[in-house]
Amino acid sequence: MSMKRQSLDVDIVCVGFGPAMGGFLSTLARDPDPNLQVVCCERAGDIGFGVSGAVTRARGIRQTFPDLDPSAIPMAAPVSHERIAYLLDPIGASRRSPTLRAADRVLRLLHLPRHHAFELPFIPSFLRKDGGMLLSVGQFMQWTGEQAMSTGAVQIWPGVPVSEALLEDQRVVGVRLLDQGTDRAGVPASGFMPGMDLRAALTVVGDGPVGAVGRQLDAVFGLPAGHHQHEWAVGAKMVVDLPEAVDLDPGTVFHTFGFPEPEIFGFFYVHPGHVASVGIFVPSWFNNPARTSYRYLQHYILHPYLWRYLNGATLRSWGAKSLQEAGKHGEPFLAGDGYARIGECSGSTNVLTGSGVDEAWTTGIQLAEAVKELRAAGKPFTKPNLEATYTARRRASWVEREGRVAEKARDGFHHGVVIGLLGMALAGATNGRLSIAGEPKLIPTLEEYYRHKLTTAEIEEVRHQCYSRGVAMHDALMERCGWPAIPFDGQLLMSQQDALLIGGKVQAPDGYADHVTFLYPDFCERCSAKLCIEMCSGQALTPGPQGVPLFDRDKCVFCGACIWNCRQSLDDDPVRTNIAFRAGAGGLHSNEN
Ligand SMILES: Cc1cc2nc3c(=O)[nH]c(=O)nc-3n(C[C@H](O)[C@H](O)[C@H](O)COP(=O)(O)OP(=O)(O)OC[C@H]3O[C@@H](n4cnc5c(N)ncnc54)[C@H](O)[C@@H]3O)c2cc1C
Ligand code: SF4
Ligand code: SF4
């Protein structure tokens, strides 16, 4: 069964083709260097399978494409109208603090809400995206990738997951691709082919918020003193065809907060051709241990403020993905000997403005400029050389400046939504000089979270009923707490399983090891919380025999949230949990998200 591992030498090998790598490769491709061989490995089955909002100021993108005409990119439009709305709870099921309830009463007494929503009379300048663009990240990446590859300067290989970085004496010397032809446990089977080694003078890591290579480098090199990556969110979205009668202009942007739970932020963006993206962010400081983003997204859509446009809409696709919300708090070492990190895996996402696309793209431009400078000077890709060129450019740029303003902007949310919003406003208004401090707290158990609504015996009854059917408890728990059942219409509102078949299009090729595994199954046997099941974005984790969850790769949308969806931290490394989320193949097949 042993087959020799192949090895290939290139000049630069890149991990992940997201917006960060788009900026990097596009900048290299604008001024092609015939003596530079650049290969980019993307794990998804196509170069346009990313998930994002996305509304962006597009400053970095316009730096790369100064004459950019949004109409050249499918689903893109200039931002035309922006609104921010506070959504009240029309059902009475969300968990609102006494302060928020009082504020809701005052708003209603003054007859200010329309469609159970109060539109803010102004948009704070730090949140405005005027002059910006609305994109489908999938379509944009496809367009970008085609532009870059057409120059012949770079190669992008979709469907090629990188397993790990190759390290020699603390120097990164390339990457190893994932083994193929294994069983689900990674044991070689028929057709086994060990993952090839791609050796390179520079390895560029842009594998996003939960990439295996970025996390490997964090484990090897650690994070700079005082940095942590405890803040995260799951973003879930749908792309829909709007009913013909809806007359919203392309480029219309709504941002919302307050519903389905006060902690959940939402967005509604109108693309050309009567298509819209609608989605929510479920942040780590929302402490519900049964946080099902798919179900919450359906309640969001049904809110009267949005339903007036979405009633009669049809689902085209959906997706979910993690966001690394620690921002600059979570910044790793940006460069080392033989490697550099760009984009969200390098802490570029701005947690105050909720934007990551343009920031990621710009860090890619900065690295490409540094590469050109070092090549022109005949200097190698060492840590000091990369720091003097790439890190220095980044420190002098708007990404750094705005990242610093945002750094502590959301810490107040650890004390609750109202204090969190005040902290955000304070940080935004004072350019980050003032903020409200706060520390992440452990997610409570179901019994702790639901103590005012359900008894321990009721929770146990729900657990027994659901687990004996092999399903998660979140739907049943929500319905017991007053959330109405979703009125499935088979068109926009449907079960998660139907959505996976219709709009999610998950593919899970055989011959690869499972990318989600449980490190210590005995922890799972003793675990009553089973957060991993209750929080899974794709219903890919379900109750299993002896208490160890089952993982179904055919349902996994690769959101990566499960690395945080476990309450059991490891004794030898309290930052890691009992779930390993490794590099893997497959996931969502949709280039509209
Ligand atoms: C629902 C949602 C809405 C959002 N809305 C907005 C918005 O409106 N505006 C905004 O600016 N930002 C938004 N963001 C954030 C934005 O999408 C990210 O900040 C941005 O995509 C980060 O770009 P990146 O290139 O660093 O990483 P990513 O976009 O995560 O790209 C990383 C790439 O690496 C690949 N990869 C990972 N591991 C491997 C591996 N082992 N081998 C090979 N390839 C690998 C992944 O498949 C992926 O394609 C949103 C995010 C979500 C989830
Ligand atoms: S992975 Fe974590 S949350 Fe899930 S069953 Fe195991 S110990 Fe519990
Ligand atoms: S199992 Fe898949 S879908 Fe579920 S949380 Fe993990 S990555 Fe997301």
Side-chain angles (χ1 to χ4, degrees), residues 50-87:
V51 176
S52 182
V55 61
T56 170
R57 286 189 182 162
R59 288 171 282 182
I61 294 171
R62 284 218 167 87
Q63 185 183 334
T64 309
F65 306 112
D67 305 321
L68 183 66
D69 170 10
S71 67
I73 308 169
M75 292 173 75
V79 171
S80 57
H81 308 288
E82 284 181 89
R83 284 182 223 161
I84 297 186
Y86 167 63
L87 304 185

Side-chain angles (χ1 to χ4, degrees), residues 516 535-538 540-541 551 555-562 565 581:
V516 174
M535 289 157 72
C536 173
S537 306
L541 295 173
F551 172 58
K555 294 180 185 160
C556 175
V557 298
F558 256 95
C559 73
C562 43
N565 288 1
F581 181 74

Side-chain angles (χ1 to χ4, degrees), residues 518 523-524 527 530-532 549 565-568 578-579:
F518 307 96
F523 283 176
C524 300
C527 166
K530 302 270 187 286
L531 296 192
C532 57
N565 288 1
C566 168
R567 207 163 170 265
Q568 180 70 55
N578 193 29
I579 290 196

Side-chain angles (χ1 to χ4, degrees), residues 93-262:
S94 74
R95 197 190 53 157
R96 296 173 113 73
S97 66
T99 320
L100 217 51
R101 282 186 197 285
D104 291 356
R105 266 197 301 276
V106 172
L107 286 173
R108 288 196 198 278
L109 275 172
L110 297 173
H111 300 288
L112 289 175
R114 298 272 178 280
H115 310 285
H116 297 270
F118 172 65
E119 285 182 0
L120 268 53
F122 67 97
I123 301 178
S125 58
F126 60 87
L127 288 180
R128 271 190 235 131
K129 300 284 192 296
D130 37 28
M133 247 191 299
L134 195 59
L135 296 167
S136 143
V137 126
Q139 292 290 342
F140 175 64
M141 291 312 296
Q142 205 153 29
W143 181 84
T144 299
E146 282 159 13
Q147 306 273 316
M149 281 191 289
S150 68
T151 65
V154 301
Q155 295 175 50
I156 306 170
W157 297 351
V160 178
V162 171
S163 162
E164 58 185 319
L166 295 170
L167 282 137
E168 286 175 6
D169 298 330
Q170 301 286 296
R171 178 184 162 77
V172 175
V173 295
V175 297
R176 174 162 294 173
L177 305 184
L178 206 60
D179 291 344
Q180 288 182 46
T182 72
D183 67 11
R184 290 185 54 183
V187 177
S190 72
F192 176 66
M193 202 162 50
M196 184 166 48
D197 285 349
L198 291 171
R199 298 181 70 87
L202 177 67
T203 300
V204 180
V205 183
D207 58 356
V210 289
V213 180
R215 285 187 299 114
Q216 175 200 2
L217 297 182
D218 290 343
V220 172
F221 298 113
L223 294 179
H227 285 205
H228 69 75
Q229 296 175 345
H230 298 158
E231 316 273 341
W232 51 274
V234 179
K237 69 173 285 192
M238 291 181 183
V239 180
V240 303
D241 282 315
L242 292 171
E244 277 302 313
V246 172
D247 60 355
L248 293 169
D249 289 334
T252 298
V253 169
F254 297 168
H255 282 126
T256 69
F257 61 104
F259 186 83
E261 295 285 0

Side-chain angles (χ1 to χ4, degrees), residues 542-593:
T542 48
Q546 278 87 48
V548 182
L550 296 172
F551 172 58
D552 183 348
R553 207 157 69 193
D554 287 317
K555 294 180 185 160
C556 175
V557 298
F558 256 95
C559 73
C562 43
I563 60 170
W564 295 294
N565 288 1
C566 168
R567 207 163 170 265
Q568 180 70 55
S569 53
L570 304 185
D571 288 345
D572 55 342
D573 183 354
V575 176
R576 287 174 63 219
T577 65
N578 193 29
I579 290 196
F581 181 74
R582 303 197 173 100
L588 280 170
H589 272 224
S590 162
N591 52 23
E592 293 182 322
N593 292 319

Side-chain angles (χ1 to χ4, degrees), residues 15-21 41-44 50-56 129 137 160-163 206-209 211-213 235-237 255 267 269 280-281 320-323 342-345 348-349 354-360 583-584:
V15 187
F17 184 64
M21 210 58 78
C41 305
E42 165 53 49
R43 52 150 295 278
V51 176
S52 182
V55 61
T56 170
K129 300 284 192 296
V137 126
V160 178
V162 171
S163 162
D207 58 356
V213 180
K237 69 173 285 192
H255 282 126
F267 61 89
Y269 304 151
I280 54 168
F281 298 104
K321 181 170 176 275
S322 293
L323 286 106
I342 56 176
E344 195 152 307
C345 80
S348 61
T349 300
S355 55
V357 168
D358 206 27
E359 286 74 4

Side-chain angles (χ1 to χ4, degrees), residues 403-425:
R404 286 214 177 280
V405 171
E407 191 166 10
K408 297 180 182 146
R410 293 215 190 172
D411 292 0
F413 280 105
H414 297 297
H415 302 290
V417 177
V418 177
I419 295 180
L421 291 170
L422 287 174
M424 248 177 105

